[in-house]
Amino acid sequence: MRTDRLQGALEMLILKSLEHKDNHGFGITLHVQTVSEGLLRVEEGSLYPALHRMEKEKLIAGDWRTTENGRRARFYALTASGRKRLAESENNWTSVAKGVRKLLRFA
Amino acid sequence: MKTPWAWLRQRRGRASQWQDELDSHLAMRQEWLHAGGLPADEARRAARKQFGNGLRTLEDVRAVHVTRWLDDFLQDARLAVRGFRKSPTLAVVAIVTIAVGVGAAAAIFGVVDPLLFRHLPYPNDRQLVSIGYFGPVDNNEFNVVASYLDWRRQQTAFQSMTSMRPAPASNCDLMAEETPLRVNCVSVEANFLRMLGVRPAIGRDFTAEDDQPHAPPVALLSFPLWRSNYGGDARIVGQKVTVDDERVTVAGVLPEGFEMPQLGAADILMPEQLDPTRPREANSSGFLRTFARLRPDVSIEQARTQMLPLFQQTTQLDVPKELRSEVRLVIRSLRDRQIHDVKLASWMLLGAVLALLLLVCANVANLLLARAAARRRELAVRAAIGAGRARLVRQLLTESMVPALAGGLLGCGVAWAMLRTLIVLAPEGLLRAGRTALDGRVLLFALAASLAAALLFGMAPALERPRAESLAGSRVAGAARTLFRRCLVAAQVAISLVLLTGASLFVRSFWKLQNEPLGYEPEHLLTASFTLREARYGPQASQSAFFRDLEAKLKRIPGGGLFALSDSIPPRGSMGRPYSNIRIAQHPPVAPDGGMVEFRWVTPGYFRTMGIRIVSGRAFEESERASGDSPVILSASLARRLFGAENPLGQQIALDGDAHWCPIVGVAADTRNNGLTETDPEYYRLRMDNASLPRGGVALFRTPLAPATLARWVRKEVAEADSSLPVTFQAMPERVGQFREQPRFVATLVGSFAVFGLLLAAVGLYGVLSFLVTQQTQEIGVRMALGARPRDIAFEIQSHAGAWTGIGIVAGVLCSLAVTRMVKGLLFGVAPDDPLSLAAGIAVLALTAVLAAWIPSRRATHVDPMVALRYE
């Protein structure tokens, strides 16, 4: 499933991916793909604009670091307001999902 | 400060970082795929494929960072330009109107900015003050040496104080290769430059040793003098030059653009060498100008409070008893001291031109409103398909920004041309030489004025919410808008009336000044001024001999006409004497607090040459000059004041508070003897052969000869008497004309503002009426079809015009009465609420309104009912 089809979903996925560990863009795609067991895929074409927008909104903060493999990459970390946003969207998402599930069951 | 380059570099750096980030992503994916077992080139291909369109992604990232508003602005601006191309006349009228308004405002700002706002050329200029006694003796505060020495020693309010000798004593002769050059030498205290915060460009400043009495003389040359006379050669420092027959060492050169704090001319500065050891009486008659620098935390008010006890103490010691009640302490900022005469005129001109700019805004707002009415449907459509209100307001503001900026740009050109004209026209006091120019500040002002104007006139159409009815193209929604437009017209009429009233006041005042009898006849009078040097003419005998010799020589110039010699002449005042010094034989003492009396030493021919009438008694006679009594002639107003109804002729008076009795032989008619407007009491004394006369002299000739021819003769005769004595010539009408410069300048400027303002008001009125007629074409057609007479229709249109103009005029009269009171000080012989000026303004305005209303109302009467009914 392509995540940019659901507005807000991509943002939540990025925030969630960064919750426990700072990561670079590639790391985020890998994380999402691995954890979702291949069900979700993050498109690079959507990921980077989203990262930059979120950085501008101060949900995440980026800086250049070196990876374990000795490569330079831009790492992103959650900010306090990013953490808050994540909690909100998780709640939100859960209730939406719950509602959708009920609706599907009913029909 | 960040330079534009640094900013650009940073932006470029940011953009390449975005690319780097995407590249590092690709590289990591490739590595990962390779590690998963793919061959290197296949891994690269797969990574690229997965990534998709890299350029597009980079573009999207950039879009996050580049702000939307700029794009929107450019889009709106493009729209606006396209819109204005469709109605070029409107665009041209709007742009030209703005250009003239902004240009005039910027030019006037350019003139008054150095006077009112710009920093004076000294560090921390706001701390500098002028301080001294203020009394009827002088228009500016002054000081005397004895008091100043006490103040300097005992004061606590200032960081430092400094002093200089006032201007009249400052003429001196610099020998430049055998020919004398009349220059301005000013004696200043050693700390003068240091107090101002100025250092010499080359050489050294004065030291305390230079300032000791009888120290070897040193001098600082002004930058222009150094350039013109010594070729800008730095080796002049340390050399000796001859100033007033004395060898003076050049200590240094003043910086370029140095200004004296009182704005006087200064070619050479020399230490004033105040001598505290002289007796107090001697030091209390030595005049000074004194300046000080406030302590950082002390205000002028606090300084005054602190200085008052000292002032009272020295007043008791140094000011003659009869004058004590007339002097007070003045401390004012250096800026106020400098713009003393022109402060009011500057503010008035700035106010007038800003009023004009306001008129321009009202006018352009009116034009845009007319256009907005036509575009209402477009806006309603845009609102209906989802343009936000803020977005629409922004679009309308941008649209007003386009003509405003175009007009502003053109206005800079107008300002440049106008400023050049102003520099030629402006009287001396209103211009700071070299500081009035179209510079960054003026351009910035023009920009700010255009933007403010755009905001003002763009607001009007932007404020109206697009309504759904407008979609239907119905005309009902217009009522509120025309009301607003009517108010605009009324405001235009009001502002225009204020300008007109002001203009007619100034013109009337100037006319009066031009035609006021002076009491003397300036036509065909030529003046030749000179000052004897103290070093050469110190002994009274040599001075008397020189004057006698010179008089004889000048008198015999063929065709020289009537000739007289005086020590000063009107329209400038003389070195006056206190009224209370006068005593009349066998009379009680005169009243104290009488102010000052003008006083001149003249030869017998003075009254005939100047054309001053002798009212009673007789003029001086040549034969009296060798006799023992020193006869006096009073001006009519002084005679009236001293003697009332009594006959002054034959009375004896003493003039300097002593017992030197002089007979009164005549009474002369009053003259304007202190500027062109003041008639001070005055007395004349005959230049006796043995009198000790002032060293300054003015020779007067009433002659049909061309001034240049006479000047050549005079120069030759003077050179024969003393070859090292420079003479300055001036025709009397020119001398008098200098005093009329400022009123003429003010009258011309305000007059042209008023004319332009009137034109704008007329255009505004015309525009609104035309709009109204167009809007009511249908209605008028119906009424005409039903039998209304053209006269009724025309009358109705004109009564609209009458109503708005009337409201505007009432408001304008009220404003005028309030505003003109403030410019009272600039008027002569006219009261600020002069009914004639007000009536003239109203009449001109009403006439213009009738004319402006006439064309649309005629058009209304020519509406063809059939055409009108088929209109939609």
Side-chain angles (χ1 to χ4, degrees), chain B residues 217-233:
Chain B
V218 292
L220 284 165
L221 308 180
S222 80
F223 199 88
L225 181 75
W226 177 58
R227 269 281 169 77
S228 62
N229 262 49
Y230 302 101
D233 185 351

Side-chain angles (χ1 to χ4, degrees), chain B residues 834-852:
Chain B
D834 177 44
L836 200 66
S837 302
L838 203 56
I842 294 173
V844 171
L845 200 59
L847 200 67
T848 315
V850 168
L851 275 177

